[in-house]
Amino acid sequence: MPLLTRTFIKTALVCLALALVLGILLASGVTNGLFPVYIHLLVFGWLTQLIFGVVFWMFPKYSNELPRGHESLGWIAYTALNIGLLLRAIAEPMQAMQPSNLYGGLLIASAILQWLAGVAFIANTWRRIKEK
Amino acid sequence: MPRLSVWFVRFSFVHLLIGLTFGGLILANKGFPFASWTWSLLPAHMESLLLGWMAQLAMGMAFWILPRFRYGAARGNVNFVWGALILLNVGIVMVAMQPLISMSWIVLTGRILETSSILLFILASWRRVKPMET
């Protein structure tokens, strides 16, 4: 299993654990306004990140020289996804409680980074979707 | 990867891009409200990512990887699975158009198409969930 896949999968597991802890906090009323963060930790941080890692590992070869395509695009996807998610986890509840230009700007950055993660993943994987 | 899986996976990637674009616009609008209409993208955002991206990718991978039959069609009734692919994508588009078109029947029809798609896929794949033949 390549390093990038291991990193994706381990980070996905951390996101799953964080989401479940957040779920406990939400259910016990300790914290409010974090439901969107909870959902995105599960759907993007856990499921989508796990898929990205496994696809990078198991999809048909890109070429003999570059069997998994351009790995740097994979690392860009990994970094953008996780920084984007982290910014969202910080800025989204803060923006809901006390709106400011700082948190607004962080949300814009988060939106761009999460979008960029998907684009980098698709760019690196598209040509690996092929018939045998 | 069989041709049908190629199409499932390609469509799922397109839905990933659409879903992330819509989600990015909604999130950016939370940062600096610039267009209230971005909220109308929420059904399309959820439909694209949950069904279009994740469920569709899983269907494509399952069609590729589940154990094959030794006799007859190796991957079962392929027509059913082509039908599932088409119904799923038409259904998602119809449900996602909900805020843009004020026709109540469009969501109901989209949901029926999505459900039919999954039922067709289950019908075609059920017997492939089996031990490997030796």
Side-chain angles (χ1 to χ4, degrees):
Chain A
M1 191 186 286
L3 174 64
L4 179 58
T5 296
R6 298 198 304 270
T7 314
F8 264 125
I9 292 176
K10 285 180 178 172
T11 316
L13 289 167
V14 171
C15 285
L16 173 63
L18 286 174
L20 294 179
V21 170
L22 193 52
I24 294 171
L25 296 177
L26 285 168
S28 58
V30 174
T31 181
N32 290 311
L34 286 172
F35 187 71
V37 175
Y38 166 71
I39 289 293
H40 286 90
L41 273 173
L42 279 178
V43 176
F44 203 50
W46 159 236
L47 290 172
T48 297
Q49 181 151 227
L50 185 74
I51 291 169
F52 281 11
V54 173
V55 163
F56 180 76
W57 176 26
M58 302 201 77
F59 261 37
K61 280 183 188 175
Y62 177 75
S63 68
N64 284 335
E65 298 74 32
L66 291 169
R68 294 193 172 91
H70 299 279
E71 196 166 336
S72 56
L73 279 174
W75 283 107
I76 289 171
Y78 172 80
T79 311
L81 189 159
N82 287 289
I83 295 177
L85 207 49
L86 179 67
L87 291 182
R88 169 183 218 137
I90 296 165
E92 196 170 22
M94 294 307 293
Q95 180 74 348
M97 285 188 294
Q98 40 188 206
S100 72
N101 284 343
L102 170 67
Y103 297 128
L106 289 178
L107 282 182
I108 299 277
S110 167
I112 292 169
L113 284 169
Q114 290 179 85
W115 181 81
L116 183 66
V119 170
F121 167 78
I122 291 169
N124 192 43
T125 315
W126 188 265
R127 289 181 60 188
R128 293 178 66 190
I129 310 169
K130 54 187 177 185
E131 285 184 63
K132 223 176 195 177
Chain B
M1 193 185 289
R3 177 171 299 172
L4 240 172
S5 291
V6 166
W7 283 107
F8 269 112
V9 176
R10 281 183 183 159
F11 275 120
S12 79
F13 278 29
V14 170
H15 281 288
L16 173 65
L17 186 61
I18 293 170
L20 286 178
T21 303
F22 289 175
L25 287 170
I26 294 168
L27 186 61
N29 188 60
K30 283 185 182 178
F32 290 101
F34 60 92
S36 57
W37 56 261
T38 54
W39 280 108
S40 65
L41 300 173
L42 189 61
H45 168 62
M46 295 192 308
E47 209 70 15
S48 290
L49 290 179
L50 293 177
L51 277 177
W53 158 235
M54 289 190 195
Q56 184 154 225
L57 183 75
M59 288 160 82
M61 299 300 286
F63 183 75
W64 177 22
I65 280 172
L66 283 175
R68 283 172 277 176
F69 299 118
R70 178 171 287 185
Y71 306 104
R75 289 191 167 87
N77 191 330
V78 179
N79 291 334
F80 277 19
V81 187
W82 275 110
L85 173 74
I86 294 163
L87 291 178
L88 180 67
N89 285 286
V90 174
I92 291 169
V93 170
M94 290 179 88
V95 174
M97 285 181 354
Q98 168 192 351
L100 307 175
I101 298 174
S102 53
M103 290 184 277
S104 57
W105 57 267
I106 205 162
V107 178
L108 177 63
T109 310
R111 292 275 182 231
I112 290 170
L113 293 182
E114 289 170 355
T115 308
S116 308
S117 155
I118 301 303
L119 290 176
L120 270 182
F121 188 81
I122 290 172
L123 266 177
S125 310
W126 191 265
R127 289 194 311 124
R128 289 182 62 193
V129 185
K130 62 186 179 93
M132 297 292 281
E133 289 171 14
T134 53

